[in-house]
Amino acid sequence: MRRFFLTIAVMMVLLSSARATTKGLSQIVTPELQGPGDLSLSFQAQSERIANPYELQAEMGLTSWAEFAVFRGFKPDDWIFSTEFGLLTKEPYLLSVGFLNWSPHLDVDPQPYIEAGYYTEHQKFIVGAIHAGYKNEAILGYAYDFNRTWRVQIDWLSGAENSSTIGFTCNITRDFQMNPALYINNGPGHDVFGYLVFSYTFHLLGKAGGKELEKSEK
């Protein structure tokens, strides 16, 4: 029965890439991959000026080098698909490719991207590019992990219709996370918008969950 409900959740609901400690940044995809067999389910609320105001999301690690994700938006009604493939997956150097924001329902083409990362214990640097519609856009991101609970993060996507963001991630448990952020529009006026996402990760291949991890850290 539990597997049945998880399957339905996968079908109904993307999320940025994930590690064992913290999720990706607020606006941009990140070059690290979801662990094989890890399923992250999320609820996202945001200003209509950013995107669909209410979304369910699912992200599934398929192998050590591939993952698949889907958004379920409600206003407008939409399904959005994304993928990520790791070319370099051993930290500190990461390199990933894939596509984002493919919406067959609204006839939106997939947006291919490439991203590189340099990840240390505390600092994460991200640079890349994405092809969206008729133009190429630059991607920049930085995160600082104070510990396994707290991360601060900033990111930027070029283009007047895109934004810079500043926010943080709090790991309430090892598997349950909260990520609030502010979006500052790149265009005239630099309007500010709100964003909030809650995520929970299931370890479908029997990996140690939050309680086991907490015990091992003591």
Side-chain angles (χ1 to χ4, degrees):
M1 184 62 69
R2 182 179 178 182
R3 290 184 179 179
F4 171 78
F5 284 116
L6 288 176
T7 302
I8 294 299
V10 173
M11 294 178 64
M12 291 187 62
V13 296
L14 176 117
L15 208 149
S16 56
S17 303
R19 304 184 63 210
T21 55
T22 53
K23 292 293 176 191
L25 307 189
S26 303
Q27 177 180 207
I28 66 173
V29 66
T30 52
E32 74 274 26
L33 297 176
Q34 185 92 327
D38 285 357
L39 169 65
S40 291
L41 303 182
S42 305
F43 170 75
Q44 182 171 312
Q46 58 200 355
S47 168
E48 291 184 354
R49 295 281 300 274
I50 299 174
N52 203 307
Y54 300 104
E55 293 176 329
L56 297 177
Q57 311 161 37
E59 180 184 17
M60 183 73 188
L62 304 177
T63 70
S64 61
W65 52 269
E67 69 173 52
F68 174 80
V70 57
F71 280 104
R72 174 69 172 104
F74 297 100
K75 186 182 178 183
D77 180 45
D78 197 10
W79 294 86
I80 303 171
F81 303 95
S82 299
T83 62
E84 185 165 12
F85 303 96
L87 304 181
L88 292 176
T89 59
K90 187 175 181 180
E91 297 179 5
Y93 301 105
L94 301 171
L95 181 64
S96 295
V97 297
F99 68 78
L100 302 175
N101 301 326
W102 179 36
S103 174
H105 184 71
L106 297 182
D107 198 27
V108 176
D109 292 334
Q111 300 172 354
Y113 69 89
I114 182 169
E115 272 196 336
Y118 180 74
Y119 278 37
T120 66
E121 180 181 359
H122 294 290
Q123 300 191 78
K124 278 73 180 170
F125 301 89
I126 299 162
V127 62
I130 184 169
H131 181 77
Y134 59 92
K135 61 180 181 177
N136 298 317
E137 297 173 343
I139 296 169
L140 292 174
Y142 173 79
Y144 188 89
D145 291 338
F146 292 96
N147 48 46
R148 289 182 175 269
T149 301
W150 294 100
R151 162 185 283 189
V152 295
Q153 54 208 36
I154 57 176
D155 60 43
W156 174 76
L157 188 61
S158 68
E161 71 281 12
N162 295 315
S163 301
S164 303
T165 77
I166 181 169
F168 68 89
T169 295
C170 174
N171 289 278
I172 300 169
T173 71
R174 290 297 162 257
D175 295 322
F176 182 48
Q177 297 176 322
M178 173 183 67
N179 171 212
L182 292 176
Y183 278 59
I184 301 125
N185 183 260
N186 294 338
H190 300 292
D191 298 323
V192 178
F193 313 112
Y195 164 95
L196 177 65
V197 60
F198 293 94
S199 302
Y200 192 91
T201 300
F202 297 89
H203 305 282
L204 303 185
L205 295 184
K207 290 183 180 180
K211 292 183 179 179
E212 287 77 10
L213 281 171
E214 287 172 359
K215 290 179 182 177
S216 68
E217 292 166 5
K218 293 180 179 180

